[in-house]
Amino acid sequence: MFNHVFNFLMEADAAFWGYIGFSIIIFLGCYLTFTTRFFQIRAFPYVVHTFVQEIFHHPVGARGLHPLKAFFASVGGMLGVGNVVGIVTAIQLGGPGALFWVWVAGFAGTLIKYSEIYLGLKYRVRNERQSYDGGPMYFLKKAFGVRWVSVIVCVLLCIYGAEIYQFNVVVETIAYSWNINRFLVAIGLLSLVLFAAMGGVTRVARVCSWIMPIFMLVYISMSLWVIGSYLADLPTVMAMVIKSAFSGHAALGGFAGSTMMLAIQNGMAGACYAADIGIGYDSTIQSESHTIYPERQARMAFFGVCLDNFICTLSILVVLVTGLWQTPIGSESAPLVQMAFSQYFPFMDIIMPLFIFILGYTTLIAYLIVGMKCAKYLSPSNGAKFYIGYSIFVFTFFAFFDQTQALLVMRMAGALLLIINLTGIYRLRKEIIFAYDTTPSESSVIACEQGDY
């Protein structure tokens, strides 16, 4: 029975990301790009400036999280196993050309993510924990004028919040690499995730603020070292990426070959999944920022998509330049990035599983928090308790399924969220102010004066 279900999901996933998902992301991305006169290019220096400003900005007694902590709580969810394992699978399935479509999704996705965060903060509400509740469930009520759309989005985010794919990858990697019983790994990881998630966004932000900067520095340095070793081959690799993006790629070695549609499908889906573009998770997390100016936090989120896409690109280039992308799926003895790093760095059989654990752990706790917030939106009194029980069940259940099957469930939930959220963003497009200077927008000041924050 399960095989029939997963076969159906596989066909639906291929149809969505090959046609529908590709079309709506390109349409909204191009619309926002042209109407804002290529904001993602013009605003980039100011985006970096906003990020640096927040490092030295430490207000006392403000409601909500420090913007930088909200950012790292978000990044903890975005930078995960999808950036190291999932995105490389996109190349194995779609060929080198999938990297080009990863860039396309990232370029369009920066403005979509900016819009998500801006609307999340604009329509958020105060809560009893001296913070805020926001996200798509709040701005979609304004976009569609009915509550049932918000209910559907919350249900889908509850499914998405129990990140079964990354839980599965972490359990399998640790169990295989360190020769530990799979069931014991699953129980231990689940306990750690629940402990952090029960502390709310504040605890998640504290964990991610310490872990993520260190991980990013180490991972980026190692990736650049490997890619730098093949510097002379990079022009050839990049030419292969561009050619394959529009013509597919013939079978080669262990690689089964691909078409242009497979490159689009896997590149777009991989990038959107890795950066949570159009999903609503990020908007829910970053709405807890204490800033009263939506455009400032939106610029931080913009920077997050750029960072996420950069790390995805490094992971892909590492397996492209080393030729490991031709390895057939299922025949790998370890993640392809680990196999590539092992050629240059010692102890990767210990270090890489630790990397995957860190990435998976930060993602799992951040996602679970969003799921709990959505469950509480649906049922303020018992939603969070019910969701914990649901999460324990699905994590344990999918820990013994194939990784690709768990990924299919996540991608299909993400596909439905993408359709609803991007439609809502388009309907509210005239309420979004794309500001790249440091002067508070008029709408923010008005909202602040009206007491919405």
Side-chain angles (χ1 to χ4, degrees):
M1 181 184 73
F2 287 120
N3 286 335
H4 292 299
V5 172
F6 288 121
N7 286 336
F8 169 77
L9 290 178
M10 187 175 297
E11 292 177 4
D13 179 75
F16 177 83
W17 288 109
Y19 300 96
I20 304 171
F22 168 77
S23 299
I24 59 178
I25 290 172
I26 291 298
F27 168 77
L28 185 57
C30 288
Y31 173 83
L32 293 173
T33 296
F34 290 123
T35 55
T36 63
R37 295 180 294 117
F38 290 86
F39 178 84
Q40 60 266 70
I41 297 175
R42 294 186 299 113
F44 189 75
Y46 299 95
V47 167
V48 176
H49 180 259
T50 300
F51 181 81
V52 174
Q53 266 192 328
E54 294 297 349
I55 295 175
F56 303 101
H57 182 226
H58 300 286
V60 179
R63 171 183 285 267
L65 287 173
H66 187 283
L68 203 61
K69 288 188 176 181
F71 169 81
F72 277 116
S74 162
V75 168
M78 277 199 303
L79 291 183
V81 175
N83 297 78
V84 177
V85 179
I87 201 66
V88 171
T89 303
I91 298 299
Q92 289 177 283
L93 292 171
L99 176 56
F100 176 83
W101 298 107
V102 167
W103 295 335
V104 171
F107 187 76
T110 52
L111 298 188
I112 294 173
K113 181 60 70 75
Y114 180 104
S115 303
E116 283 186 83
I117 305 306
Y118 186 96
L119 292 171
L121 268 76
K122 182 171 183 177
Y123 290 102
R124 67 185 179 178
V125 298
R126 296 172 185 257
N127 61 33
E128 71 281 1
R129 302 184 306 278
Q130 289 300 304
S131 189
Y132 302 95
D133 290 325
M137 65 287 281
Y138 292 93
F139 68 74
L140 289 175
K141 283 194 295 185
K142 172 69 174 178
F144 293 98
V146 291
R147 187 176 184 272
W148 61 265
V149 177
S150 297
V151 171
I152 291 175
V153 165
C154 276
V155 171
L156 290 171
L157 277 172
C158 283
I159 296 172
Y160 204 81
E163 229 295 9
I164 52 178
Y165 168 66
Q166 303 212 25
F167 188 87
N168 186 305
V169 171
V170 173
V171 169
E172 183 170 316
T173 301
I174 298 298
Y176 174 82
S177 300
W178 295 347
N179 196 26
I180 304 175
N181 181 275
R182 189 184 182 96
F183 183 75
L184 291 178
V185 175
I187 294 299
L189 177 60
L190 186 58
S191 301
L192 289 172
V193 170
L194 292 176
F195 168 75
M198 295 299 286
V201 177
T202 302
R203 183 177 294 172
V204 172
R206 190 181 305 120
V207 171
C208 293
S209 296
W210 279 101
I211 292 177
M212 295 316 298
I214 297 172
F215 162 77
M216 287 187 289
L217 181 63
V218 174
Y219 187 78
I220 290 172
S221 299
M222 293 175 71
S223 298
L224 289 176
W225 181 272
V226 174
I227 295 167
S229 301
Y230 291 85
L231 206 57
D233 299 328
L234 267 184
T236 303
V237 170
M238 299 309 294
M240 180 175 63
V241 167
I242 301 301
K243 182 180 178 181
S244 178
F246 297 98
S247 61
H249 202 285
L252 181 66
F255 176 63
S258 68
T259 63
M260 175 181 170
M261 194 54 65
L262 275 173
I264 293 172
Q265 173 196 336
N266 287 282
M268 297 288 286
C272 290
Y273 174 69
D276 298 293
I277 295 169
I279 303 301
Y281 144 82
D282 210 2
S283 180
T284 307
I285 287 281
Q286 298 211 45
S287 290
E288 294 214 25
S289 168
H290 71 58
T291 183
I292 62 172
Y293 307 123
E295 63 273 24
R296 289 189 65 84
Q297 198 67 35
R299 287 198 294 268
M300 299 273 284
F302 180 115
F303 184 72
V305 175
C306 296
L307 191 60
D308 182 273
N309 205 264
F310 177 61
I311 291 179
C312 284
T313 298
L314 290 179
S315 297
I316 292 172
L317 286 177
V318 163
V319 299
L320 284 179
V321 298
T322 56
L324 291 170
W325 64 277
Q326 301 173 46
T327 305
I329 291 180
S331 65
E332 312 98 323
S333 59
L336 294 187
V337 173
Q338 177 179 333
M339 293 168 64
F341 282 175
S342 296
Q343 300 174 17
Y344 295 89
F345 306 104
F347 309 115
M348 288 311 301
D349 56 331
I350 298 174
I351 296 172
M352 200 65 196
L354 183 60
F355 273 3
I356 290 177
F357 170 78
I358 291 170
L359 287 172
Y361 180 63
T362 56
T363 298
L364 287 165
I365 59 179
Y367 275 47
L368 197 61
I369 282 293
V370 171
M372 290 173 65
K373 287 172 75 72
C374 290
K376 193 172 181 180
Y377 178 90
L378 296 172
S379 174
S381 55
N382 298 311
K385 295 177 184 177
F386 173 80
Y387 190 70
I388 291 296
Y390 162 80
S391 301
I392 292 172
F393 170 75
V394 294
F395 280 140
T396 307
F397 181 74
F398 275 95
F400 299 93
F401 274 78
D402 184 79
Q403 292 178 11
T404 56
Q405 294 174 330
L407 181 58
L408 270 177
V409 174
M410 294 298 296
R411 280 175 38 159
M412 287 310 301
L416 295 173
L417 284 165
L418 190 77
I419 293 172
I420 300 171
N421 289 335
L422 265 58
T423 303
I425 290 171
Y426 180 76
R427 292 172 69 97
L428 295 174
R429 64 193 183 280
K430 294 183 179 178
E431 299 192 24
I432 304 167
I433 295 177
F434 290 89
Y436 57 81
D437 57 20
T438 55
T439 304
S441 69
E442 183 179 351
S443 67
S444 302
V445 175
I446 293 173
C448 182
E449 290 172 348
Q450 290 174 342
D452 294 340
Y453 296 102

